[in-house]
């Protein structure tokens, strides 16, 4: 009986599952503190270089079937409850950047938890520019006020993967 079932099962055509749309292999970009010599404003008052640049993290970029880019940011070592913004450096010479996520109403902002960790997922229409910057807002405001300290973390993006 089992042999008959096996023969029938082997002879019966099976419907192949349709192929899933292609998703690129994820690109992991390590994020590091800026070098002290690259800072334009120094560290925020009351902080040391070690405490300001204790942060690190990764950006995981995945090209989706519809051509959009999914970026998953994971940060550690940030200032507990610190306010940060994400920036996409389109060009380094001359310097040109834009919010990494959609601009407005704090959509490109991140607030670290009490342990200095943060996670943010962003979906973009296109592959990012040359580099990534995470700016710290010492005054806790999302403005271009004097309390912004650029480059708490940065990372260099690779070229867009081919489909």
């Amino acid at each position: 009986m089992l042999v008959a079932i096996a023969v029938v099962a082997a002879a019966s055509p099976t419907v192949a599952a349709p192929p899933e749309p292609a998703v690129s292999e994820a690109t992991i970009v390590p994020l590091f503190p800026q070098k002290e010599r690259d800072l334009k404003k120094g560290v925020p008052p009351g902080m040391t270089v070690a405490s300001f640049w204790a942060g690190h993290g990764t950006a995981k970029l995945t090209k989706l079937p519809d051509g959009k880019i999914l970026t998953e940011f994971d940060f550690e070592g940030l200032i507990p409850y610190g306010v940060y913004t994400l920036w996409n450096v389109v060009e380094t010479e001359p310097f040109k950047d834009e919010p990494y996520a959609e601009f407005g109403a704090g959509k490109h902002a991140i607030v670290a938890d009490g342990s200095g960790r943060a996670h943010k997922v962003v979906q973009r229409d296109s592959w990012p520019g040359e580099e990534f910057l995470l700016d710290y807002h010492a005054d806790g405001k999302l403005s271009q006020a004097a309390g912004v300290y650029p480059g708490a973390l940065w990372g260099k993006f690779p070229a867009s993967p081919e489909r």
Side-chain angles (χ1 to χ4, degrees):
M1 181 75 156
L2 290 176
V3 172
I5 292 172
V7 169
V8 170
S12 300
T14 58
V15 178
E20 289 190 30
V23 174
S24 77
E25 184 175 330
T27 301
I28 307 293
V29 177
L31 305 174
F32 301 104
Q34 288 250 11
K35 293 182 177 132
E36 190 172 0
R37 69 175 182 262
D38 294 335
L39 297 176
K40 308 255 186 291
K41 293 174 63 174
V43 297
M47 292 187 184
T48 65
V49 172
S51 66
F52 186 63
W53 280 275
H56 59 279
T58 58
K60 177 182 173 185
L61 294 96
T62 306
K63 195 169 193 174
L64 302 174
D66 62 2
K68 294 187 184 224
I69 307 303
L70 183 72
T71 310
E72 298 174 68
F73 292 99
D74 283 298
F75 303 105
E76 292 184 14
L78 301 180
I79 296 163
Y81 305 110
V83 176
Y84 296 82
T85 49
L86 304 165
W87 295 92
N88 179 33
V89 178
V90 180
E91 296 177 37
T92 55
E93 291 295 327
F95 184 82
K96 179 182 175 191
D97 68 351
E98 64 188 16
Y100 191 85
E102 188 177 347
F103 189 75
K107 293 180 181 176
H108 68 299
I110 286 183
V111 177
D113 67 14
S115 299
R117 292 189 179 108
H119 176 79
K120 183 154 181 123
V121 177
V122 176
Q123 188 169 312
R124 297 176 46 90
D125 290 332
S126 61
W127 195 261
E130 296 181 24
E131 296 179 354
F132 162 83
L133 287 177
L134 182 71
D135 290 355
Y136 173 61
H137 295 250
D139 59 5
K141 299 176 183 174
L142 296 177
S143 65
Q144 292 296 332
V148 178
Y149 289 80
L153 292 176
W154 77 282
K156 187 165 183 61
F157 290 124
S160 174
E162 297 301 317
R163 278 197 150 248

